[in-house]
Amino acid sequence: MTPAPTGRGGGRLVVPALAVCMVLLLAAGWLLSGHLVAGVPPLGVAAGRTATAFVMITLIALLTPRGRTGVRTAAARPRAVLVLAFLGFFAYYAGTLLGTRYVGASRVGLIVSLLPCVTFVIGILAFREPSSRRKVLGTALAGAGAIGFLLADGAASAGAGSDGGTATLLTGGALAFGGTLTYALYGYVYRQRMSDVPALAALPAITGAGTLMLGLTVLLFVPLGGVSAADWGGVAVLGAVLTAPVFLISHELILRKGPLFTSALGLAVPFLVRVGEWGLGSAAAPGALPVLLIVASAAGVWLTVGGRRRDPAAAPAAPAGPSEDTGTGTDTGTDRSDHRASVTAEALPPRSTS
């Protein structure tokens, strides 16, 4: 089943407006995260962000009878909820926010934008997903561009407390990549365990479990005595104003345009974050080589998620199996909402339409 953009109403400007809002919120979230980890332990930021997002999403989900029913259904699957909470919130936010402290928001944002490529590799290795030369080339190009940017941008956008050394850069990059890897696994586990539950209805249980995991870790191992009230206010803004709305907007975009379109939007985020760091005075102006490497990485991700264009009149009937990969990522309104392609780091897994 394909999304029906015309059936959801709102006019032609709804999708562009939602897309712009999502990209701006993502970029603002990374910039604020980079600022907060300078004064708040990264795990504290992760716990506070998840907790406030949990409150907002739960309130919205409970507004409708269908949402309330879905929340109860998801909560009745504790094993799946715990696995998803660990992969998608505890490990993802811990890895990316720790990485931000070491190497800065722009580098971590670029690594997270590789999520479709990481999902593609996991699909081949663990789930026997189909491959193609274009996707392999795109994944290799995206990875090379990200590693090159991690090293070539020098100390211009290093994170708080970072000495800009190669070891520090590689440590921060590894942490961010580890978080991205767990989020890619989260997408597959979500499809296997929660595909029959609307994403918004499943998130209260998952984010609630993630909040408990992160909160308990912080209480046991992370000192928070020196954190100011202003920093805690920033963490609340990050979760309630920037993170929770991204979940809602991305889910709506998936339903209207499909996950490939939504995934492609994330390619603009590293540019905005790097320019934002420069504009805020936390980093020097990006040089020509770092910009070229961001472009190369974005092009690689686009090759990976784009797929081949096919003539609708000549295309054979689509098989019913889950390994189909026919999306183009273009603005056609025919992308499958249950496509296996991943979305951006902050986006929801596609809801099952069966």
Side-chain angles (χ1 to χ4, degrees):
M1 179 181 295
T2 59
T6 57
R8 296 187 66 82
R12 295 181 178 180
L13 296 179
V14 172
V15 168
L18 290 174
V20 170
C21 286
M22 177 175 152
V23 170
L24 292 177
L25 287 170
L26 284 169
W30 282 116
L31 288 170
L32 182 55
S33 296
H35 168 74
L36 289 171
V37 296
V40 184
L43 288 178
V45 176
R49 178 185 200 174
T50 305
T52 50
F54 159 70
V55 172
M56 293 297 295
I57 291 170
T58 300
L59 289 175
I60 295 171
L62 293 178
L63 290 177
T64 64
R66 184 181 182 187
R68 291 191 292 271
T69 301
V71 168
R72 290 193 294 269
T73 301
R77 304 173 185 178
R79 186 175 300 178
V81 167
L82 290 175
V83 172
L84 289 169
F86 175 81
L87 293 174
F89 290 87
F90 182 88
Y92 169 67
Y93 279 142
T96 54
L97 288 170
L98 284 167
T100 299
R101 187 172 182 86
Y102 280 105
V103 300
S106 60
R107 291 191 179 103
V108 174
L110 182 60
I111 292 170
V112 172
S113 74
L114 302 179
L115 179 62
C117 300
V118 177
T119 304
F120 166 65
V121 173
I122 290 175
I124 292 176
L125 297 179
F127 297 95
R128 298 182 181 181
E129 295 283 356
S131 179
S132 70
R133 294 180 188 175
R134 173 175 177 163
K135 293 180 181 296
V136 172
L137 175 62
T139 299
L141 178 61
I147 294 173
F149 178 79
L150 183 71
L151 299 174
D153 203 29
S157 59
S162 170
D163 59 10
T166 301
T168 300
L169 294 176
L170 293 179
T171 299
L175 286 167
F177 182 78
T180 304
L181 178 64
T182 62
Y183 199 82
L185 288 170
Y186 167 89
Y188 280 108
V189 175
Y190 184 96
R191 287 183 181 277
Q192 292 177 344
R193 304 295 180 88
M194 289 286 184
S195 62
D196 60 326
V197 181
L200 181 59
L203 277 170
I206 297 171
T207 55
T211 298
L212 291 176
M213 290 179 184
L214 288 164
L216 183 61
T217 302
V218 169
L219 289 175
L220 292 177
F221 302 109
V222 181
L224 298 175
V227 180
S228 68
D231 281 336
W232 283 126
V235 172
V237 169
L238 177 63
V241 179
L242 298 178
T243 300
V246 164
F247 280 110
L248 304 177
I249 293 172
S250 61
H251 184 228
E252 181 67 17
L253 285 172
I254 288 168
L255 293 178
R256 288 175 177 267
K257 302 299 295 181
L260 292 179
F261 175 87
T262 308
S263 180
L265 295 176
L267 302 182
V269 174
F271 290 95
L272 293 178
V273 173
R274 187 62 182 86
V275 172
E277 288 178 333
W278 173 35
L280 293 172
S282 61
L289 180 57
V291 171
L292 180 62
L293 290 168
I294 291 180
V295 172
S297 185
V301 176
W302 181 257
L303 285 172
T304 303
V305 303
R308 289 186 177 181
R309 295 176 181 271
R310 300 197 305 175
D311 182 0
S323 62
E324 179 184 345
D325 188 10
T326 61
T328 64
T330 57
D331 190 9
T332 62
T334 59
D335 296 290
R336 288 173 53 96
S337 62
D338 59 343
H339 199 288
R340 279 204 180 270
S342 180
V343 297
T344 60
E346 303 290 345
L348 296 176
R351 185 178 69 185
S352 173
T353 56
S354 58

